[in-house]
Amino acid sequence: MQSTRFFHKGTLWMGALALAAGMALSGCGQSDDGAEGEQVWRFALEETKGGVQWQYAEKFKEEIEAAHDNVEVKIYPYGTLGSSQDITQQIQNNTMQFAFASAGHVGSTIPEAQVFTLHFLFSQDDSVNEDIFASNPVVYEELGAAYSEKGLELLSIVPEGWMVWSANKAIEKPEDFDGVKIRVKPSDLLLATYEDGYGANPKPMAYSEIYGGLQRGQIDAQTQPMFAIRDMSFYEVQDYLIEARNAQFVSTVITSPGFLEGLPEDMQASVKETVKELDPFVWDVQKTLNREAAEEIKSESDIEFIELTSEQVEAFRENVEPVFDQYVEMAGPRGEKILKAIQDAVAEGNDE
């Protein structure tokens, strides 16, 4: 079945398509008569070197440069081109060709994307989740339309692994979060999840400030995939790692509709085919990175690992059920379609 992820184009770009395409062509080095010249495509990440996004971008670079000897893909790790908001604006302005945009970040302007911040939405069976992220037609169609309205082209939804809580106290039931200052992304749903659902004291904070915040006691806890906890050394300033399989860290790969439509048809096809081929690749990457990170943390520290039982998980799940209604109210009918599509896919997958 053909993927629906590329059906929606940026309608607000259509009036200025000629200008946007002209900027893309001139910035990439194509000649005025349409002949292909040397091109540089910039790919901005929200993470440091070595992580899931870096390996994804490296593989993307390898595939694209092998297919087109006149294209060079330059990768920019976290912090080199500004904040996540800066990078997204560069995509909208057509001065950046590709970027990662995490659901927690873009959710402030695309509320539908905050579906990925909901706790206990996805299956405990990872094979079910892999299919949803790679190819669910409703999710890609509806979320793609939401991105298009903001001048962004959604290329892929990329899972980076289960989020893990790190904290200075054991978290085994919702009441254990009482008063805990936990760093969160600036998402209304995440704030509601931790404040209303768990009784915590959520604190929005930049990713780059987490380690210092933990060290100085500004925050007591944070949550990231295991590989990020290792790469950013958060485990050095925490006492416990709690695995509840409550949420996946989800990012999205985006481009500019003006840039994509300004490319020759063979290059457009290469971009679309490459991101589809990277779905199973990145799934394997995140599983390997997170497993290796857990093993490394265990060997290098005395931090205590806690894996919640199914009964303990159920208590957390019940506490955040009202947040699902808040999501629907925030994201509207389109968000409700996305949520239902995921819930239906999870239910169907769990029954097989």
Side-chain angles (χ1 to χ4, degrees):
M1 183 178 68
Q2 184 180 5
S3 172
T4 61
R5 64 173 69 178
F6 302 109
F7 284 6
H8 292 273
K9 306 300 179 185
T11 54
L12 64 82
W13 280 85
M14 296 305 290
L17 182 58
L19 174 61
M23 289 172 60
L25 295 178
S26 125
C28 295
Q30 275 189 294
S31 60
D32 292 337
D33 62 5
E36 295 182 19
E38 296 299 317
Q39 302 192 29
V40 176
W41 296 356
R42 301 195 301 164
F43 198 143
L45 315 182
E46 292 184 305
E47 297 169 0
T48 56
K49 288 184 178 181
V52 173
Q53 294 184 12
W54 178 263
Q55 294 197 37
Y56 183 103
E58 284 275 283
K59 188 65 173 177
F60 179 87
K61 171 184 173 70
E62 176 186 326
E63 296 295 327
I64 291 295
E65 291 182 354
H68 304 282
D69 57 12
N70 64 318
V71 175
E72 178 186 5
V73 178
K74 288 189 174 182
I75 304 169
Y76 297 85
Y78 177 75
T80 56
L81 294 176
S83 66
S84 295
Q85 183 177 6
D86 294 331
I87 293 168
T88 302
Q89 288 176 347
Q90 290 171 40
I91 291 285
Q92 292 170 318
N93 295 335
N94 210 25
T95 56
M96 175 72 63
Q97 285 69 54
F98 300 95
F100 274 93
S102 63
H105 158 61
V106 296
S108 60
T109 55
I110 305 174
E112 294 90 340
Q114 290 200 46
V115 70
F116 299 117
T117 69
L118 292 170
H119 284 200
F120 303 107
L121 170 61
F122 287 96
S123 174
Q124 298 295 297
D125 182 347
D126 276 335
S127 65
V128 174
N129 301 327
E130 183 179 5
D131 290 340
I132 296 171
F133 289 123
S135 60
N136 187 280
V138 176
V139 174
Y140 272 96
E141 184 173 355
E142 298 297 335
L143 194 59
Y147 273 59
S148 291
E149 290 177 1
K150 299 299 181 181
L152 303 171
E153 182 83 1
L154 174 65
L155 294 177
S156 189
I157 302 168
V158 177
E160 300 191 35
W162 290 104
M163 301 287 277
V164 178
W165 290 317
S166 73
N168 289 328
K169 61 179 292 189
I171 305 291
E172 297 179 298
K173 55 186 181 299
E175 292 77 13
D176 291 334
F177 262 122
D178 186 30
V180 170
K181 295 175 290 185
I182 183 168
R183 179 267 180 180
V184 298
K185 290 191 174 185
S187 157
D188 290 341
L189 286 183
L190 284 175
L191 291 171
T193 296
Y194 282 101
E195 187 169 12
D196 301 333
Y198 303 146
N201 185 6
K203 301 285 187 181
M205 179 180 288
Y207 185 58
S208 59
E209 298 174 0
I210 295 176
Y211 187 94
L214 292 169
Q215 197 172 38
R216 292 188 295 270
Q218 294 172 312
I219 51 175
D220 309 309
Q222 65 83 47
T223 180
Q224 299 290 335
M226 195 71 77
F227 80 88
I229 293 173
R230 178 200 60 189
D231 292 349
M232 299 298 286
S233 301
F234 298 148
Y235 68 93
E236 295 179 348
V237 286
Q238 297 272 254
D239 297 322
Y240 297 90
L241 286 175
I242 302 98
E243 298 177 88
R245 295 174 73 89
N246 55 301
Q248 290 266 346
F249 183 90
V250 179
S251 193
T252 58
V253 180
I254 58 174
T255 187
S256 156
F259 165 74
L260 191 62
E261 293 187 0
L263 292 175
E265 290 186 4
D266 64 324
M267 286 187 171
Q268 291 187 42
S270 289
V271 170
K272 296 173 183 180
E273 290 168 5
T274 298
V275 296
K276 287 170 64 177
E277 291 171 359
L278 287 180
D279 287 333
F281 167 80
V282 77
W283 185 261
D284 291 340
V285 164
Q286 63 86 15
K287 287 180 67 176
T288 300
L289 276 178
N290 286 303
R291 183 184 67 251
E292 292 177 347
E295 293 170 355
E296 187 174 328
I297 291 171
K298 288 177 181 178
S299 68
E300 293 187 355
S301 74
D302 58 0
I303 193 168
E304 183 174 340
F305 279 66
I306 298 174
E307 185 173 350
L308 299 189
T309 66
S310 57
E311 291 79 11
Q312 289 172 320
V313 164
E314 190 57 34
F316 283 96
R317 184 195 306 275
E318 290 175 358
N319 275 32
V320 296
E321 284 180 355
V323 182
F324 283 59
D325 294 332
Q326 292 183 46
Y327 168 75
V328 171
E329 183 178 351
M330 175 190 302
R334 187 158 55 199
E336 187 171 15
K337 286 183 182 178
I338 295 169
L339 175 59
K340 185 176 187 302
I342 294 174
Q343 290 175 319
D344 288 347
V346 167
E348 182 179 348
N350 287 343
D351 288 340
E352 291 181 355

